Amino acid sequence: MLKLRVITALLLAPFVVLGVLELTNPVFSGLLLIVILLCGNEWGRLAGLRGFAERVFYLLSMAGLMAGLWLNSPDPVLNLAVLAIAGVWMGMTAALFAWGHKPLQ
């Protein structure tokens, strides 16, 4: 399993470097949004969010927080507030993972 992950990382690393260096800011941000939402979907599944509505709400909340950061990027105070909300949200997800539901089998 570790071998497969290392091979995957080695194959994808050039695309990440190319994306960071060559893509425009909005295009890179859009691709990063997709990757983060895919990771959020997996994290929600691991946290025990098994229902469709639960996972959609979780992903829409993540997307809303990211949109808040994108729209308020020039204002550091608002960014700090959005990041604080995101931190609380992530803490709630971690609590669900640790104490709320049985782990997936």
Side-chain angles (χ1 to χ4, degrees), residues 1-74:
M1 186 71 164
L2 178 61
K3 187 178 183 181
L4 180 64
R5 288 179 186 248
V6 169
I7 291 170
T8 304
L10 289 173
L11 290 173
L12 293 179
F15 292 110
V16 172
V17 171
L18 185 67
V20 169
L21 296 177
E22 297 296 325
L23 292 178
T24 62
N25 228 5
V27 173
F28 183 72
S29 298
L31 289 175
L32 193 59
L33 171 71
I34 292 168
V35 170
I36 290 172
L37 289 177
L38 287 171
C39 294
N41 185 42
E42 181 68 19
W43 180 252
R45 189 181 69 81
L46 289 172
L49 302 176
R50 291 181 179 86
F52 179 75
E54 293 173 333
R55 298 231 314 260
V56 167
F57 177 74
Y58 181 69
L59 292 176
L60 287 176
S61 300
M62 285 181 61
L65 289 169
M66 288 185 277
L69 284 173
W70 176 263
L71 296 173
N72 297 318
S73 61

